[in-house]
Amino acid sequence: MTEDFGRIVEIRHGRDAESLNLSFWPGRVPLKQRWRNNGLSADFLGDYVTTFFPLDDAIPDTQLRQAEIRGAVSFIANELLENAMKYHDPALPEPVTIQLGLDSKQIVFHASNGAGEQAAGRFREFIARLLDGDPGELYLQQLEDNALAEQSAGLGYLTMINDYGAELAWRFQAGEGGGYRVTTQVTLTL
């Protein structure tokens, strides 16, 4: 059974598109040691994408544009990897993966991890609040909640929407032995 929230797009593989796919087995290294790896992987994706937005000394805006895209890709990839690692269920035979697809119109991220029934249920509830609410109001509410509880649940997704104009979608695919393969999709329009 597959359940989608929002419009899932497939990452294209063609002559007019580029893509990267990274896979991780979180249980091999303690989570705290993974944080550095997440940042390195996210920065790699940000640097990789800049290849397709070359600098032109005759056009000063190209430097700003390249820096904006690199920053957006690094931030989004890092948030997606951290969430996927944090909420991954190591009992499920699923790796954490992140895919990046790029064409002339958009950059698409797919980050996937295994999740147990309860974690998937809590995540569905968060998605429902996000889809039914105003992202700006939810962002302010989350900042207030974080100040009181020192937690940051969902703040990364809200930052993607509010600061980068990202479109988010999710897919839950039931596993054969229980649990779900949860994919978070983030789309940046170029």
Side-chain angles (χ1 to χ4, degrees), residues 43-119:
D43 287 344
F44 168 73
L45 293 174
D47 288 340
Y48 174 77
V49 167
T50 60
T51 302
F52 304 100
F53 299 91
L55 297 176
D56 184 339
D57 291 336
I59 306 173
D61 287 347
T62 59
Q63 188 171 11
L64 178 62
R65 175 85 170 138
Q66 189 184 69
E68 287 175 346
I69 289 171
R70 184 195 182 287
V73 168
S74 293
F75 175 82
I76 291 168
N78 192 58
E79 287 293 321
L80 289 173
L81 281 170
E82 285 186 357
N83 283 336
M85 298 282 180
K86 186 173 9 175
Y87 296 108
H88 177 72
D89 185 342
L92 298 175
E94 300 281 343
V96 169
T97 63
I98 185 164
Q99 293 179 292
L100 181 144
L102 167 72
D103 63 29
S104 63
K105 297 179 181 174
Q106 62 189 6
I107 300 171
V108 179
F109 303 81
H110 284 177
S112 299
N113 62 283
E117 188 73 42
Q118 289 182 344

Side-chain angles (χ1 to χ4, degrees), residues 13 25 40 110 116 143:
H13 303 280
W25 286 97
L40 291 172
H110 284 177
L143 286 176

